[in-house]
Amino acid sequence: MNMFGHLRRAARRHAHLADATIAAAVFAATVLTTFAGHSGTAGHNGTVALAAAALACGVLAGRRRRPLATLAVSAAAAEVFLAVSGGTGGVLVLLAPLTALYTVADLVERRRGLVLGASAVAALALVHAVHRPALLGPQNLAFIALGGLAIAAGDSSRNRRSYLAEVEQRAERAEREREQDTRRRIAEERLRIARDLHDCVGHQLALISVQSNVAGQALDRDVAGAREAIAHVKSASRRALGELRDTVSLLRQPGDPVAPTAIPAPGLDGLGELLASLRASGLDIDCRVDGRVVALAPAADLTAYRVIQESLTNVYKHSSRRQARLTLSYDPYELRITVDDLSGGRPGTDVDGPGVGRAPGDRHGIVGMRERVLALGGRFAAGPRPDGTFQVTADLPCQPLDLAPEPAP
């Protein structure tokens, strides 16, 4: 970077110091050209002229904060200086109002700044023409030209600053749009991978189911056929696991643990900890257990935990009194989970659940609970009751999908 670039960066970092330096430079040039040699003004007039020059140049230190006031004070003080000093040796004091003109054109609203700047130049030229005939002619024309140049330079600086700001905004907007597009493409790709996973693994599991049935039927009368069917089951299982592993590896984010399932899935054995955390958060829960507790299959155990967790979380988020009743009713073959929101009064709800008058995220939660329960062959319902409370019920088979252990022969 050249010296001019370094100076410009330093001026941007220390704007007020740069303004004070400009004011001091204009004042020094004015004093040297006016009072040096025999052209200076002595006595009382010299003191007044020096004070007017100091005021005309000194106000430039605050030109960025009050540009219009700076222009008015600087122009008036400069004219006082010219009137008191006499002659034309002090015309460099006009650099002060010219600098203020640049600032007005740069910082004040564009149309207003141009009108005020042009009016100030015309007024100063008229004052010179009336009270200072010595400044008529080329000097006055030169002042008008310099005033127009100062206004044009200030307007150009404004335009450049606006252009750079617009370029930065466009760059930021383009960056945000690229990030959003990237996230959208990733989401679409993940959805496609999930569909492929469903298709390929579902196909292999269907083959496993068919071949297992064939093996079971042929086990007593056709040992060779049973062995062949079992071999097909083994091969299909390996292919399904391989496709599952490959697809899940595509879904993992960088930095994900290699074995995210190292932590066991939650179940009803963690219900006490869940209820304790919700109670500590301010939810009043009345928990009841009816019947003899029966051990659930892992899938049913996980689903029961998720249904209770989602239902009580919804009560915590949306209940007016944050009171809930959880009932677990066991029988030898089925577990009924009932969660009642005891706050009552849920206008606009419906029995089916998805349109319960809550936030969209809660509708997805009810749909998710329903899908989990129905996938295990259970029953699910969510909606308001006649007494005004909101209730979620889920009936889960203790051993879903006919996976109950067979009695020993």
Side-chain angles (χ1 to χ4, degrees), residues 301-316:
D301 196 31
L302 173 61
T303 299
Y305 181 89
R306 292 304 188 196
V307 168
I308 295 172
Q309 182 185 44
E310 180 70 21
S311 301
L312 292 178
T313 301
N314 284 343
V315 175
Y316 174 78

Side-chain angles (χ1 to χ4, degrees), residues 29-377:
T30 302
V31 170
L32 289 176
T33 57
T34 303
F35 298 99
H38 300 284
S39 61
T41 301
H44 176 70
N45 288 342
T47 303
V48 174
L50 191 63
L55 180 60
C57 299
V59 293
L60 294 180
R63 65 188 182 94
R64 299 177 191 271
R65 292 190 295 269
R66 299 289 181 85
L68 293 177
T70 299
L71 175 60
V73 174
S74 179
E79 292 303 320
V80 171
F81 174 82
L82 290 174
V84 173
S85 63
T88 59
V91 292
L92 286 183
V93 75
L94 294 176
L95 290 176
L98 289 176
T99 304
L101 275 173
Y102 168 87
T103 306
V104 168
D106 184 23
L107 301 181
V108 180
E109 189 271 329
R110 187 170 189 270
R111 179 173 297 180
R112 185 185 178 199
L114 293 178
V115 171
L116 291 176
S119 300
V121 172
L124 290 175
L126 181 61
V127 170
H128 293 165
V130 173
H131 297 286
R132 298 299 305 274
L135 292 179
L136 289 175
Q139 289 185 342
N140 207 17
L141 293 177
F143 172 76
I144 295 174
L146 289 175
L149 182 62
I151 295 173
D155 188 60
S156 176
S157 176
R158 173 205 301 281
N159 293 337
R160 181 176 181 275
R161 189 169 58 252
S162 300
Y163 171 75
L164 292 178
E166 179 65 22
V167 169
E168 291 178 357
Q169 291 178 359
R170 289 182 179 180
E172 293 176 358
R173 186 164 57 249
E175 182 66 23
R176 289 195 300 268
E177 290 176 354
R178 281 196 297 269
E179 293 177 356
Q180 293 173 357
D181 184 66
T182 300
R183 288 194 293 267
R184 179 182 59 80
R185 291 179 181 273
I186 291 175
E188 291 176 352
E189 181 64 16
R190 287 172 177 267
L191 180 60
R192 186 191 63 80
I193 292 173
R195 289 171 178 168
D196 292 344
L197 177 64
H198 173 270
D199 294 340
C200 64
V201 175
H203 173 70
Q204 300 297 339
L205 291 178
L207 291 178
I208 291 173
S209 177
V210 172
Q211 295 297 333
S212 299
N213 188 33
V214 171
Q217 295 178 356
L219 188 60
D220 296 331
R221 50 188 174 80
D222 188 359
V223 177
R227 289 178 177 175
E228 182 179 358
I230 293 174
H232 286 306
V233 169
K234 184 177 181 180
S235 176
S237 300
R238 287 182 175 178
R239 286 196 299 271
L241 288 175
E243 291 171 352
L244 180 62
R245 181 179 61 252
D246 295 340
T247 306
V248 171
S249 66
L250 296 176
L251 296 175
R252 283 179 179 165
Q253 297 283 358
D256 283 350
V258 176
T261 58
I263 301 176
L268 291 181
D269 55 350
L271 182 59
E273 183 178 354
L274 173 63
L275 297 181
S277 64
L278 289 171
R279 284 167 176 159
S281 300
L283 181 62
D284 183 10
I285 305 174
D286 177 19
C287 182
R288 304 176 183 178
V289 179
D290 299 332
R292 181 174 175 271
V293 177
V294 178
L296 305 180
D301 196 31
L302 173 61
T303 299
Y305 181 89
R306 292 304 188 196
V307 168
I308 295 172
Q309 182 185 44
E310 180 70 21
S311 301
L312 292 178
T313 301
N314 284 343
V315 175
Y316 174 78
K317 290 192 296 184
H318 303 286
S319 172
S320 59
R321 290 184 297 175
R322 290 188 174 177
Q323 293 181 345
R325 180 173 59 241
L326 169 63
T327 305
L328 302 178
S329 302
Y330 288 90
D331 64 35
Y333 305 102
E334 190 175 71
L335 166 64
R336 164 163 283 199
I337 301 171
T338 305
V339 178
D340 294 297
D341 180 358
L342 302 180
S343 63
R346 289 184 174 273
T349 59
D350 59 70
V351 177
D352 292 333
V356 295
R358 298 180 177 181
D362 302 319
R363 294 197 295 269
H364 292 304
I366 290 178
V367 172
M369 287 189 290
R370 177 182 285 109
E371 290 179 350
R372 282 178 178 270
V373 172
L374 296 183
L376 299 180

